[in-house]
Amino acid sequence: MPGKILVLGATGTVGSKVIRTLVARGEPTKAACRKSISIPGADAVAFDYLDASTYGCALEGVDRIFVITPTGCLDPVRLLTPIIQAAAARGIKIVLMTMLGVDTGGSNSYRTVELFLEETCAPFVIVRPNWFADNFHSYWLDGIRRGVIAVPAADGKTSFIDTRDIAESIACTLTSDAFNGQAFDLTGPEALSYAEAAAILSRAIGRTIAYTPVDDGIFIGLLTEAGISATYAHLLAELFRPVREGRMAALSNGVETLTGKAPRSLETYAKDNIAALTA
Ligand SMILES: NC(=O)c1ccc[n+]([C@@H]2O[C@H](COP(=O)([O-])OP(=O)(O)OC[C@H]3O[C@@H](n4cnc5c(N)ncnc54)[C@H](OP(=O)(O)O)[C@@H]3O)[C@@H](O)[C@H]2O)c1
């Protein structure tokens, strides 16, 4: 009898949708949370990356696990490698989400975690999504409310991806062995500048949203004023460098390969999230 699927980051943007997708498919799913919450259709289990005493209970009865770095974490190697090691030692299949582009260019902590995973004996799949379309109704929502998106992207294009497509892709890697041992870049279907994205969002919500390119200093100032730590604001600013350099405009067939469906456009994302974009 197959075991259960353990989803880390269960209350987060991606993890919550992975759980929803798995539950809808009738997959036995455990939702790992630091807080005690109830997630319909899944068994909630207490888990903290930083507390190894929570691993045994979380991994009990599990044969597949989804591993993600929480937003704001500055040291993914320290946070993720202990649970990857514990899962691998039990022969559990591990699906790891990192970020588009971490396997190109220089060394970085996400790539270090990927290599650590690849060197375990466990079956694994890696998924590397591009910037989430959903950031427009989370990180950039304050700007959208004011009618201006101000980020240091210059004219760089991004193939924004709807997190529903990320979650559905991850669910497919967890429920099939056909993709084991591989890594998949996940992108949306088209590369758009922030000006083009702002025009699409404007049409969807019926109100003009402008795009103002800013430099790193102004961007970091805006984020810290909004309560984001200076360290994380600097990291986010650094993530826009590959956008400006055109490296986030890449298109991949990862979503289609994994799910059999084309990824959703930014227009579809915007139409389906009008309430969140106008909240
Ligand atoms: N945003 C983008 O455009 C983008 C693009 C590509 C890749 N990514 C990557 O996506 C990841 C973030 O995904 P997301 O947005 O789905 O995350 P998220 O919404 O920030 O959710 C993080 C989850 O991790 C949980 N968590 C935090 N600390 C924990 C701990 N010590 N132990 C156990 N659970 C803990 C949180 O639960 P509680 O706090 O409730 O316990 C929450 O469920 C990051 O690695 C980021 O680099 C993001």
Side-chain angles (χ1 to χ4, degrees):
M1 197 172 109
K4 295 187 178 182
I5 303 173
L6 178 67
V7 177
L8 307 188
T11 56
T13 304
V14 173
S16 60
K17 294 188 177 82
V18 172
I19 291 176
R20 208 177 305 150
T21 309
L22 292 172
V23 168
R25 294 183 186 185
E27 296 288 340
T29 305
K30 286 174 85 171
C33 312
R34 278 187 298 184
K35 306 175 200 116
S36 160
I37 54 152
S38 128
I39 297 185
D43 300 337
V45 59
F47 173 81
D48 190 331
Y49 286 98
L50 297 170
D51 181 359
S53 73
T54 63
Y55 293 5
C57 194
L59 293 173
E60 202 177 311
V62 165
D63 62 6
R64 289 152 288 165
I65 182 174
F66 171 59
V67 178
I68 185 171
T69 305
T71 301
C73 169
L74 298 171
D75 191 352
V77 178
R78 176 170 163 259
L79 201 71
L80 267 53
T81 53
I83 184 65
I84 289 174
Q85 196 158 33
R90 289 166 169 80
I92 292 170
K93 171 173 164 176
I94 300 163
V95 174
L96 171 70
M97 186 181 106
T98 58
M99 193 187 290
L100 188 73
V102 299
D103 57 324
T104 58
S107 68
N108 59 76
S109 53
Y110 278 120
R111 183 64 184 146
T112 304
V113 177
E114 289 186 356
L115 292 172
F116 181 86
L117 170 61
E118 288 177 17
E119 281 161 19
T120 68
C121 298
F124 74 88
V125 179
I126 294 168
V127 293
R128 303 186 186 113
N130 203 346
W131 286 84
F132 303 170
D134 305 51
N135 294 342
F136 288 111
H137 70 260
S138 54
Y139 295 128
W140 318 135
L141 184 59
D142 276 348
I144 286 177
R145 286 183 180 133
R146 289 195 303 270
V148 58
I149 298 168
V151 293
D155 295 329
K157 295 198 177 208
T158 302
S159 49
F160 300 102
I161 180 163
D162 191 309
T163 56
R164 292 173 294 182
D165 289 320
I166 300 175
E168 287 162 23
S169 300
I170 289 165
C172 290
T173 66
L174 287 164
T175 54
S176 166
D177 284 336
F179 310 112
N180 288 5
Q182 299 177 61
F184 296 89
D185 290 347
L186 303 179
T187 75
E190 59 193 334
L192 300 163
S193 67
Y194 275 80
E196 290 167 328
I200 288 170
L201 298 172
S202 302
R203 281 197 294 278
I205 68 174
R207 183 164 57 75
T208 300
I209 313 292
Y211 164 54
T212 301
V214 292
D215 65 21
D216 283 6
I218 290 176
F219 179 66
I220 289 165
L222 289 170
L223 292 182
T224 49
E225 269 169 37
I228 291 174
S229 78
T231 315
Y232 193 56
H234 277 88
L235 177 71
L236 281 175
E238 190 57 30
L239 290 176
F240 274 98
R241 183 203 300 263
V243 177
R244 290 193 297 274
E245 292 172 352
R247 289 190 275 134
M248 306 316 273
L251 300 179
S252 83
N253 62 359
V255 171
E256 199 150 6
T257 302
L258 295 173
T259 68
K261 291 188 294 185
R264 294 167 174 89
S265 65
L266 189 73
E267 192 174 359
T268 298
Y269 153 79
K271 283 182 180 158
D272 292 348
N273 288 281
I274 288 175
L277 288 163
T278 54

